[in-house]
């Protein structure tokens, strides 16, 4: 199991990196007490027709579990939430 400080630092690094991408609308790192999963979580909100490969790569390099939820209507940009979990 990953130490709490290391998990937090890893997800904060992912958040900082993704926040520099133009497709990213919002990024937030949530402590275990703030999530139903009780794990460190990074939420990355992107707009576009798909999740940009560089966002997926940033999450993959951090070796986190990835969940992607998307919403939007036909002809509108996709609004995806990429959630990475540690622990």
């Amino acid at each position: 199991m990953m130490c709490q400080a290391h998990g937090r630092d890893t997800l904060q690094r992912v958040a900082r990196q993704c926040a520099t991408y133009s497709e990213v609308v919002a990024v937030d790192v949530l402590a275990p007490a703030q999530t139903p999963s009780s794990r460190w979580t990074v939420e990355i909100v992107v707009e576009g027709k798909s999740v940009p490969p560089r966002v997926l790569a940033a999450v993959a390099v951090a070796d986190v579990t990835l969940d992607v939820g998307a919403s939007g209507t036909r002809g509108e940009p996709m609004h995806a939430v990429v959630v990475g979990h540690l622990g």
Side-chain angles (χ1 to χ4, degrees):
M1 182 149 170
M2 185 177 294
C3 115
Q4 290 287 321
H6 184 270
R8 179 199 62 222
D9 294 347
T10 297
L11 293 184
Q12 287 176 338
R13 187 172 50 254
V14 170
R16 282 191 305 271
Q17 180 177 356
C18 289
T20 67
Y21 301 152
S22 60
E23 307 94 324
V24 173
V25 176
V27 181
D28 198 9
V29 176
L30 305 173
Q34 297 173 291
T35 67
S37 67
S38 298
R39 298 180 287 180
W40 280 101
T41 300
V42 61
E43 292 184 350
I44 306 163
V45 179
V46 299
E47 285 189 340
K49 294 183 180 184
S50 63
V51 177
R54 61 187 178 171
V55 171
L56 295 175
V59 173
V61 167
D63 195 26
V64 300
T65 302
L66 178 64
D67 297 316
V68 178
S71 63
T73 58
R74 187 179 299 181
E76 294 295 320
M78 181 177 84
H79 187 80
V81 179
V82 179
V83 180
H85 300 285
L86 283 175

